[in-house]
Short mmCIF file of all heavy atoms in Angstrom, two decimals:
data_model
loop_
_atom_site.label_atom_id
_atom_site.label_comp_id
_atom_site.label_asym_id
_atom_site.label_seq_id
_atom_site.Cartn_x
_atom_site.Cartn_y
_atom_site.Cartn_z
N PHE A 265 0.91 -1.21 -0.02
CA PHE A 265 0.04 0.00 0.02
C PHE A 265 0.89 1.22 -0.01
O PHE A 265 1.76 1.36 0.82
CB PHE A 265 -0.88 0.05 1.25
CG PHE A 265 -1.87 -1.07 1.28
CD1 PHE A 265 -1.68 -2.10 2.21
CD2 PHE A 265 -2.99 -1.10 0.44
CE1 PHE A 265 -2.62 -3.17 2.17
CE2 PHE A 265 -3.98 -2.13 0.50
CZ PHE A 265 -3.77 -3.22 1.36
N LEU A 266 0.62 2.20 -0.97
CA LEU A 266 1.44 3.34 -1.03
C LEU A 266 0.44 4.58 -0.93
O LEU A 266 -0.42 4.75 -1.74
CB LEU A 266 2.14 3.43 -2.41
CG LEU A 266 3.09 2.23 -2.70
CD1 LEU A 266 3.45 2.16 -4.13
CD2 LEU A 266 4.38 2.49 -1.84
N ASP A 267 0.67 5.39 0.11
CA ASP A 267 -0.25 6.47 0.29
C ASP A 267 0.51 7.85 -0.02
O ASP A 267 1.32 8.34 0.57
CB ASP A 267 -0.67 6.65 1.74
CG ASP A 267 -1.62 7.72 2.03
OD1 ASP A 267 -2.24 8.17 1.04
OD2 ASP A 267 -1.89 8.00 3.23
N GLU A 268 0.20 8.31 -1.35
CA GLU A 268 0.90 9.56 -1.79
C GLU A 268 2.38 9.54 -1.56
O GLU A 268 2.90 10.49 -1.07
CB GLU A 268 0.21 10.73 -1.19
CG GLU A 268 -1.38 10.84 -1.27
CD GLU A 268 -1.73 11.63 -2.49
OE1 GLU A 268 -0.89 11.91 -3.35
OE2 GLU A 268 -2.91 11.98 -2.60
N PRO A 269 3.03 8.59 -2.11
CA PRO A 269 4.57 8.41 -1.75
C PRO A 269 5.45 9.47 -2.35
O PRO A 269 6.50 9.61 -1.90
CB PRO A 269 4.85 7.01 -2.28
CG PRO A 269 3.94 6.84 -3.41
CD PRO A 269 2.62 7.43 -2.95
N THR A 270 4.88 10.20 -3.31
CA THR A 270 5.83 11.22 -3.94
C THR A 270 5.24 12.60 -3.79
O THR A 270 5.66 13.56 -4.46
CB THR A 270 6.03 10.96 -5.45
OG1 THR A 270 4.76 11.03 -6.18
CG2 THR A 270 6.52 9.53 -5.64
N ALA A 271 4.22 12.85 -2.97
CA ALA A 271 3.42 14.07 -2.95
C ALA A 271 4.35 15.22 -2.53
O ALA A 271 4.14 16.42 -3.01
CB ALA A 271 2.27 14.05 -2.00
N SER A 272 5.37 15.02 -1.73
CA SER A 272 6.32 16.12 -1.33
C SER A 272 7.59 16.16 -1.89
O SER A 272 8.52 16.88 -1.42
CB SER A 272 6.44 16.10 0.24
OG SER A 272 6.96 14.85 0.65
N LEU A 273 7.73 15.33 -2.98
CA LEU A 273 9.10 15.26 -3.66
C LEU A 273 9.24 16.08 -4.92
O LEU A 273 8.21 16.34 -5.59
CB LEU A 273 9.36 13.82 -3.88
CG LEU A 273 9.36 12.85 -2.71
CD1 LEU A 273 9.66 11.41 -3.14
CD2 LEU A 273 10.30 13.29 -1.62
N ASP A 274 10.43 16.41 -5.39
CA ASP A 274 10.67 17.16 -6.59
C ASP A 274 10.59 16.08 -7.74
O ASP A 274 10.53 14.86 -7.41
CB ASP A 274 11.97 17.89 -6.61
CG ASP A 274 13.21 16.91 -6.39
OD1 ASP A 274 13.16 15.75 -6.92
OD2 ASP A 274 14.23 17.41 -5.84
N PRO A 275 10.52 16.54 -9.02
CA PRO A 275 10.35 15.57 -10.16
C PRO A 275 11.42 14.54 -10.26
O PRO A 275 11.15 13.40 -10.59
CB PRO A 275 10.33 16.56 -11.36
CG PRO A 275 9.76 17.87 -10.81
CD PRO A 275 10.41 17.95 -9.45
N SER A 276 12.67 14.86 -9.98
CA SER A 276 13.76 13.90 -10.03
C SER A 276 13.55 12.80 -9.07
O SER A 276 13.66 11.57 -9.30
CB SER A 276 15.05 14.59 -9.79
OG SER A 276 16.11 13.61 -9.83
N ALA A 277 13.28 13.20 -7.71
CA ALA A 277 13.02 12.19 -6.70
C ALA A 277 11.81 11.30 -6.99
O ALA A 277 11.74 10.16 -6.77
CB ALA A 277 12.91 12.80 -5.41
N THR A 278 10.71 12.02 -7.57
CA THR A 278 9.53 11.30 -7.97
C THR A 278 9.83 10.19 -9.08
O THR A 278 9.31 9.06 -8.89
CB THR A 278 8.50 12.31 -8.54
OG1 THR A 278 8.11 13.16 -7.48
CG2 THR A 278 7.28 11.52 -9.05
N ARG A 279 10.66 10.53 -9.99
CA ARG A 279 11.03 9.48 -11.05
C ARG A 279 11.67 8.33 -10.39
O ARG A 279 11.49 7.22 -10.74
CB ARG A 279 11.92 10.11 -12.12
CG ARG A 279 11.12 11.05 -13.00
CD ARG A 279 11.94 11.43 -14.29
NE ARG A 279 13.17 12.19 -13.92
CZ ARG A 279 13.17 13.57 -13.83
NH1 ARG A 279 12.05 14.28 -14.04
NH2 ARG A 279 14.33 14.15 -13.58
N GLU A 280 12.57 8.61 -9.43
CA GLU A 280 13.34 7.51 -8.76
C GLU A 280 12.41 6.59 -7.97
O GLU A 280 12.51 5.37 -8.00
CB GLU A 280 14.38 8.07 -7.77
CG GLU A 280 15.47 8.80 -8.52
CD GLU A 280 16.41 9.52 -7.63
OE1 GLU A 280 16.06 9.73 -6.43
OE2 GLU A 280 17.58 9.79 -8.00
N ILE A 281 11.38 7.19 -7.24
CA ILE A 281 10.44 6.45 -6.49
C ILE A 281 9.61 5.64 -7.42
O ILE A 281 9.30 4.43 -7.19
CB ILE A 281 9.54 7.39 -5.59
CG1 ILE A 281 10.47 8.08 -4.56
CG2 ILE A 281 8.45 6.56 -4.93
CD1 ILE A 281 11.16 7.16 -3.62
N GLU A 282 9.16 6.21 -8.59
CA GLU A 282 8.31 5.50 -9.52
C GLU A 282 9.06 4.32 -10.13
O GLU A 282 8.47 3.25 -10.33
CB GLU A 282 7.84 6.42 -10.60
CG GLU A 282 6.76 7.45 -10.08
CD GLU A 282 6.21 8.33 -11.17
OE1 GLU A 282 6.60 8.12 -12.33
OE2 GLU A 282 5.35 9.08 -10.89
N THR A 283 10.38 4.44 -10.26
CA THR A 283 11.16 3.33 -10.77
C THR A 283 11.11 2.18 -9.83
O THR A 283 11.02 1.00 -10.17
CB THR A 283 12.62 3.79 -11.04
OG1 THR A 283 12.65 4.77 -12.14
CG2 THR A 283 13.51 2.65 -11.46
N VAL A 284 11.23 2.49 -8.53
CA VAL A 284 11.19 1.49 -7.47
C VAL A 284 9.87 0.77 -7.46
O VAL A 284 9.68 -0.49 -7.37
CB VAL A 284 11.62 2.03 -6.14
CG1 VAL A 284 11.49 0.94 -5.02
CG2 VAL A 284 13.03 2.58 -6.13
N ILE A 285 8.84 1.62 -7.54
CA ILE A 285 7.52 1.07 -7.54
C ILE A 285 7.25 0.04 -8.72
O ILE A 285 6.76 -0.99 -8.55
CB ILE A 285 6.40 2.17 -7.60
CG1 ILE A 285 6.43 2.95 -6.24
CG2 ILE A 285 4.94 1.56 -7.76
CD1 ILE A 285 5.63 4.23 -6.31
N ARG A 286 7.73 0.44 -9.87
CA ARG A 286 7.66 -0.51 -11.05
C ARG A 286 8.44 -1.78 -10.84
O ARG A 286 8.12 -2.81 -11.20
CB ARG A 286 8.17 0.24 -12.29
CG ARG A 286 7.30 1.28 -12.73
CD ARG A 286 7.82 1.76 -14.15
NE ARG A 286 7.01 2.94 -14.60
CZ ARG A 286 7.41 4.20 -14.42
NH1 ARG A 286 8.59 4.48 -13.86
NH2 ARG A 286 6.65 5.18 -14.89
N ALA A 287 9.58 -1.68 -10.00
CA ALA A 287 10.26 -2.91 -9.72
C ALA A 287 9.51 -3.79 -8.84
O ALA A 287 9.54 -5.02 -8.96
CB ALA A 287 11.61 -2.49 -9.02
N PHE A 288 8.83 -3.19 -7.88
CA PHE A 288 7.90 -4.02 -6.99
C PHE A 288 6.87 -4.76 -7.88
O PHE A 288 6.68 -6.00 -7.68
CB PHE A 288 7.17 -3.15 -5.97
CG PHE A 288 7.90 -2.98 -4.65
CD1 PHE A 288 8.60 -1.87 -4.42
CD2 PHE A 288 7.79 -3.91 -3.67
CE1 PHE A 288 9.28 -1.64 -3.21
CE2 PHE A 288 8.40 -3.67 -2.45
CZ PHE A 288 9.15 -2.59 -2.22
N ASP A 289 6.30 -3.99 -8.73
CA ASP A 289 5.20 -4.53 -9.64
C ASP A 289 5.85 -5.71 -10.46
O ASP A 289 5.18 -6.78 -10.60
CB ASP A 289 4.77 -3.45 -10.49
CG ASP A 289 3.51 -3.92 -11.41
OD1 ASP A 289 2.69 -4.76 -10.94
OD2 ASP A 289 3.37 -3.41 -12.54
N ALA A 290 7.04 -5.44 -11.05
CA ALA A 290 7.64 -6.47 -11.83
C ALA A 290 7.95 -7.78 -11.02
O ALA A 290 8.01 -8.89 -11.57
CB ALA A 290 8.90 -5.92 -12.54
N ALA A 291 8.25 -7.57 -9.86
CA ALA A 291 8.60 -8.76 -8.87
C ALA A 291 7.40 -9.49 -8.49
O ALA A 291 7.44 -10.50 -7.74
CB ALA A 291 9.41 -8.24 -7.68
N GLY A 292 6.24 -9.01 -8.83
CA GLY A 292 4.97 -9.77 -8.43
C GLY A 292 4.16 -9.22 -7.25
O GLY A 292 3.20 -9.85 -6.85
N THR A 293 4.64 -8.09 -6.64
CA THR A 293 3.92 -7.51 -5.60
C THR A 293 2.72 -6.66 -6.12
O THR A 293 2.80 -5.90 -7.05
CB THR A 293 4.83 -6.49 -4.89
OG1 THR A 293 5.90 -7.23 -4.16
CG2 THR A 293 4.04 -5.80 -3.69
N LYS A 294 1.66 -6.95 -5.46
CA LYS A 294 0.40 -6.15 -5.85
C LYS A 294 0.52 -4.75 -5.37
O LYS A 294 0.76 -4.53 -4.16
CB LYS A 294 -0.89 -6.79 -5.23
CG LYS A 294 -2.10 -5.90 -5.21
CD LYS A 294 -2.69 -5.76 -6.57
CE LYS A 294 -4.00 -5.00 -6.62
NZ LYS A 294 -4.74 -4.98 -7.83
N ILE A 295 0.44 -3.75 -6.26
CA ILE A 295 0.45 -2.27 -5.86
C ILE A 295 -0.91 -1.79 -5.76
O ILE A 295 -1.69 -1.88 -6.61
CB ILE A 295 1.28 -1.58 -6.88
CG1 ILE A 295 2.71 -2.12 -7.07
CG2 ILE A 295 1.33 -0.13 -6.61
CD1 ILE A 295 3.65 -1.96 -5.85
N VAL A 296 -1.09 -1.17 -4.57
CA VAL A 296 -2.36 -0.35 -4.29
C VAL A 296 -1.84 1.02 -3.84
O VAL A 296 -1.24 1.18 -2.78
CB VAL A 296 -3.25 -1.00 -3.24
CG1 VAL A 296 -4.58 -0.12 -3.03
CG2 VAL A 296 -3.65 -2.40 -3.54
N MET A 297 -2.05 2.06 -4.67
CA MET A 297 -1.52 3.31 -4.45
C MET A 297 -2.52 4.42 -4.51
O MET A 297 -3.34 4.42 -5.43
CB MET A 297 -0.41 3.50 -5.48
CG MET A 297 0.29 4.86 -5.41
SD MET A 297 1.58 5.05 -6.63
CE MET A 297 1.93 6.80 -6.58
N ALA A 298 -2.55 5.34 -3.51
CA ALA A 298 -3.36 6.46 -3.49
C ALA A 298 -2.57 7.71 -4.08
O ALA A 298 -1.45 7.89 -3.71
CB ALA A 298 -3.79 6.82 -2.03
N THR A 299 -3.24 8.48 -4.92
CA THR A 299 -2.59 9.63 -5.43
C THR A 299 -3.76 10.61 -5.97
O THR A 299 -4.86 10.18 -6.31
CB THR A 299 -1.70 9.34 -6.62
OG1 THR A 299 -0.99 10.59 -7.09
CG2 THR A 299 -2.35 8.72 -7.82
N HIS A 300 -3.37 11.91 -6.08
CA HIS A 300 -4.33 12.77 -6.77
C HIS A 300 -3.69 13.24 -8.02
O HIS A 300 -4.18 14.14 -8.86
CB HIS A 300 -4.67 14.00 -5.94
CG HIS A 300 -3.56 14.82 -5.50
ND1 HIS A 300 -3.16 14.93 -4.19
CD2 HIS A 300 -2.70 15.69 -6.20
CE1 HIS A 300 -2.07 15.75 -4.10
NE2 HIS A 300 -1.86 16.18 -5.33
N ASN A 301 -2.47 12.65 -8.45
CA ASN A 301 -1.72 13.09 -9.53
C ASN A 301 -2.16 12.27 -10.80
O ASN A 301 -1.90 11.15 -10.87
CB ASN A 301 -0.25 12.87 -9.25
CG ASN A 301 0.71 13.34 -10.33
OD1 ASN A 301 0.57 13.04 -11.50
ND2 ASN A 301 1.77 14.02 -9.88
N LEU A 302 -2.78 12.91 -11.74
CA LEU A 302 -3.33 12.23 -12.94
C LEU A 302 -2.14 11.54 -13.74
O LEU A 302 -2.35 10.50 -14.30
CB LEU A 302 -4.10 13.21 -13.76
CG LEU A 302 -5.34 13.84 -13.12
CD1 LEU A 302 -5.99 14.80 -14.11
CD2 LEU A 302 -6.35 12.61 -12.87
N GLY A 303 -1.09 12.29 -13.96
CA GLY A 303 -0.01 11.77 -14.68
C GLY A 303 0.59 10.50 -14.06
O GLY A 303 0.94 9.52 -14.81
N GLN A 304 0.82 10.49 -12.85
CA GLN A 304 1.29 9.39 -12.06
C GLN A 304 0.41 8.15 -12.15
O GLN A 304 0.78 7.06 -12.37
CB GLN A 304 1.50 9.72 -10.63
CG GLN A 304 2.26 8.71 -9.81
CD GLN A 304 2.72 9.24 -8.49
OE1 GLN A 304 1.90 9.51 -7.64
NE2 GLN A 304 4.05 9.42 -8.36
N ALA A 305 -0.96 8.48 -12.05
CA ALA A 305 -1.97 7.44 -12.22
C ALA A 305 -1.86 6.77 -13.61
O ALA A 305 -1.92 5.54 -13.64
CB ALA A 305 -3.40 7.99 -11.93
N ARG A 306 -1.61 7.54 -14.61
CA ARG A 306 -1.52 6.96 -15.96
C ARG A 306 -0.25 6.16 -16.02
O ARG A 306 -0.25 5.08 -16.63
CB ARG A 306 -1.46 8.14 -17.02
CG ARG A 306 -2.75 8.83 -17.26
CD ARG A 306 -2.46 9.91 -18.27
NE ARG A 306 -3.58 10.77 -18.55
CZ ARG A 306 -4.44 10.51 -19.56
NH1 ARG A 306 -4.34 9.49 -20.34
NH2 ARG A 306 -5.46 11.34 -19.78
N ARG A 307 0.76 6.64 -15.46
CA ARG A 307 2.20 5.96 -15.63
C ARG A 307 2.18 4.65 -14.87
O ARG A 307 2.79 3.67 -15.30
CB ARG A 307 3.24 6.89 -15.07
CG ARG A 307 3.50 8.08 -15.94
CD ARG A 307 4.86 8.79 -15.61
NE ARG A 307 4.74 9.34 -14.22
CZ ARG A 307 4.33 10.59 -13.91
NH1 ARG A 307 3.79 11.37 -14.89
NH2 ARG A 307 4.38 11.03 -12.65
N LEU A 308 1.52 4.59 -13.63
CA LEU A 308 1.74 3.45 -12.79
C LEU A 308 0.63 2.54 -12.63
O LEU A 308 0.80 1.41 -12.18
CB LEU A 308 2.15 3.93 -11.34
CG LEU A 308 3.46 4.73 -11.25
CD1 LEU A 308 3.68 5.16 -9.78
CD2 LEU A 308 4.65 3.93 -11.75
#
């Protein structure tokens, strides 16, 4: 479960976090993530 994990981060740090989230997903972990960011919702 991820609750707005990048809400207070700059774009560079956000990209790094999103890369890790994708790695979790690729490893078979179910991702449930809260966000109000439309772009992030599309990406992840």
Side-chain angles (χ1 to χ4, degrees):
F265 295 107
L266 300 163
D267 186 13
E268 302 270 11
T270 65
S272 59
L273 303 180
D274 62 32
S276 176
T278 293
R279 287 193 296 272
E280 292 173 342
I281 296 301
E282 289 185 359
T283 296
V284 177
I285 293 170
R286 290 189 184 96
F288 270 99
D289 185 34
T293 295
K294 166 74 178 190
I295 300 297
V296 183
M297 177 175 167
T299 185
H300 61 249
N301 185 313
L302 296 177
Q304 189 167 71
R306 288 178 184 268
R307 290 191 296 273
L308 298 179

